[in-house]
Amino acid sequence: MRRGEFLDPHLVTVYDAECPWGRDDDFFLSVANESPRARVLDLGCGTGRLTLALAAAGHTVTGVDPARASLDAARAKPAADRVTWIEGTSRVLPDRAFDVAVLTSHVAQEIRADDKWARTLADLRRALVPDGRLAFDSRDPAARRWERWNPRDSRRRLALPDGRVVDAWTEVTEVRDGLVSFVHHYVFPDADELLSSGTLRFRTEEELRASLAAAGFTVDRIHGGWGGEPVGTSADGEFVVLARAQD
């Protein structure tokens, strides 16, 4: 049965098991903490892993996501009342309401069409105060990480909170014009298999820089990994982008 990974409550639980706190969360939290008690936007907040940590660090946090099942899971977590949760996209953002905005877990790659990406950046520029900070991650296409998304290299076992173990793997179905399509397979102990398909946009560094400039952002720096490595020198295979809203 094919379902949306962030829309189905069963798969939202699997997502939480598969995506615990990591080095990327440490990085984004440290970026926000450079602005003490900031007003922080987590766009594409999902089930709230980083969102809740930002609030616990003393920031005033708003989490926005279009997937209701993910937001329901976030709202059910301890201390969720510290966060303002909003179901929607960048279109719902108020003007000049945030000091820092983050898009994590490769949310930027979920925005595939160039016009929608441009609209998202324009909305973020509108929502940030002048000189407000934007941070996001996007996989470096030169690293070709999707080549590891095959039934052998991607196979993993996920332990759920109720004790069940799910067997999972990923397979790529198409690579074309900067887009990589794939299917996640999740096999539950009762042999029920759920499928979650998706497509991600892999933008080059030049494309990211051009789109940010067009939206009114100045790029401070782009790292190639979570340790601050130059692009192309880290096994992480990332673009970790830090930019500022122009006055």
Side-chain angles (χ1 to χ4, degrees), residues 80-172:
D81 58 347
R82 297 181 181 178
V83 175
T84 299
W85 306 99
I86 300 175
E87 182 179 346
T89 67
S90 63
R91 291 176 179 267
V92 306
L93 301 178
D95 293 353
R96 298 197 172 198
F98 304 103
D99 306 299
V100 180
V102 297
L103 291 78
T104 69
S105 299
H106 307 108
V107 165
Q109 292 186 257
E110 299 277 356
I111 308 169
R112 297 180 289 273
D114 287 340
D115 59 341
K116 291 184 179 180
W117 175 238
R119 173 59 187 263
T120 300
L121 290 178
D123 288 338
L124 286 164
R125 173 63 189 85
R126 174 178 53 78
L128 284 165
V129 298
D131 207 39
R133 305 187 71 193
L134 170 64
F136 66 91
D137 53 2
S138 186
R139 296 179 184 88
D140 182 353
R144 302 181 66 84
R145 295 299 292 270
W146 63 82
E147 293 180 349
R148 305 180 192 178
W149 302 348
N150 60 70
R152 182 191 65 188
D153 296 330
S154 69
R155 192 169 291 270
R156 60 246 187 223
R157 305 198 81 196
L158 308 172
L160 302 186
D162 61 8
R164 292 180 297 163
V165 175
V166 176
D167 289 312
W169 66 93
T170 302
E171 58 180 338
V172 170

Side-chain angles (χ1 to χ4, degrees), residues 12 16 21 52 138 159 180 202 213 242:
V12 166
D16 267 357
W21 188 271
L52 292 166
S138 186
V180 177
F202 282 73
L242 299 172

Side-chain angles (χ1 to χ4, degrees), residues 152-234:
R152 182 191 65 188
D153 296 330
S154 69
R155 192 169 291 270
R156 60 246 187 223
R157 305 198 81 196
L158 308 172
L160 302 186
D162 61 8
R164 292 180 297 163
V165 175
V166 176
D167 289 312
W169 66 93
T170 302
E171 58 180 338
V172 170
T173 56
E174 186 178 32
V175 179
R176 180 171 58 88
D177 299 331
L179 297 171
V180 177
S181 298
F182 54 89
V183 176
H184 296 309
H185 296 253
Y186 301 103
V187 180
F188 290 76
D190 58 5
D192 183 23
E193 181 177 1
L194 299 181
L195 306 180
S196 175
S197 59
T199 299
L200 297 177
R201 174 71 181 273
F202 282 73
R203 294 180 174 89
T204 65
E205 181 179 355
E206 292 74 18
E207 287 173 322
L208 290 173
R209 287 182 179 276
S211 62
L212 285 161
F217 286 95
T218 299
V219 175
D220 285 340
R221 54 193 179 276
I222 298 180
H223 300 304
W226 302 113
E229 303 90 337
V231 169
T233 67
S234 171

